[in-house]
Amino acid sequence: MSKLEQSKLPAHVAIIMDGNGRWAKTRNLPRVEGHVQGLESVRNIVTITRELRIPYLTLYAFSKENWSRPRAEVKRLLELLGIFLENELPLMMDEDIRFRVVGDIKDFPKKLQHQLNAAMQKTAGNKTLSLNIALSYSGREEILNAVRLLLKDMDKGDITHIDEKVFQSYLYTRDIPDPDLLIRTSGEMRVSNFLLWQIAYTEIYVTDTLWPDFREDAYMEALREYMKRERRFGSVKENLSGRA
Ligand code: FPP
């Protein structure tokens, strides 16, 4: 990628990784096999994102609503997350990747919570890529949680006025910039309760490719499409020169 193209890349890519189940179904495999292959795509996309020097990647791995899936599938998904952490942590240290959870993990098995917290602590000083995994995440709940915390601080007198910047500082993503690009795989045209506050001006790209098939070519196509977009943030082209 040329230097000019590099400067047009998004600084934050968020992905709704969908289609693992369909990928397995078309191969007459159990749904969990789709998640296993999906994990390979995660590894692939993380590596490419880092190589491209995109500093933030947020992956929607487990929504609050996903708790209602069959117990065996939930169990396997959580196991895969544990395996991912175990295998990838040394690599994250080598490759200067910071691992962060976006969501509320209090309902996760204690051992997994411990593993997640340990990975966050260990990688806290890493800078090249911030890998944010949305877990037991709900955008509406994130907003409600922010309101509750804000009200508490107002009661204490720590906060006297609210604006967007103040509100944002109460979200799970308080120190992560809003996504520039949201990718959704497997063709559904919806945002599924993901980063509802944060995607106000995010460019959305939907591909029919199923997540386990979403590898380098499909990712580069999404990035090229993003680079062609003209972002106006509600303004007009002529007035945008000062915007970062
Ligand atoms: C959506 O496909 C995918 C998920 C609910 C889970 C995503 C998990 C992974 C990619 C593997 C684990 C990831 C990490 C980071 C450890 P779906 O099952 O809803 O597919 P369908 O819509 O075709 O049924």
Side-chain angles (χ1 to χ4, degrees), residues 17-22 31 35 38-39 61 66 69 77 81 211:
M17 309 182 286
D18 196 14
N20 293 354
R22 272 162 280 178
R31 289 179 56 80
H35 299 318
L39 187 54
N66 287 156
R69 291 194 174 202
L77 271 170
L81 180 61
W211 177 250

Side-chain angles (χ1 to χ4, degrees), residues 85 89 92-93 97-103 105 113-126 131 133 135:
L85 285 174
L89 194 55
M92 287 186 213
M93 292 311 292
I97 296 174
R98 178 174 181 184
F99 174 83
R100 286 193 257 199
V101 170
V102 173
I105 55 169
Q113 286 187 41
H114 180 76
Q115 246 183 312
L116 290 163
N117 287 326
M120 281 194 276
Q121 265 173 30
K122 189 151 193 223
T123 62
N126 294 350
L131 171 61
I133 308 281
L135 293 173

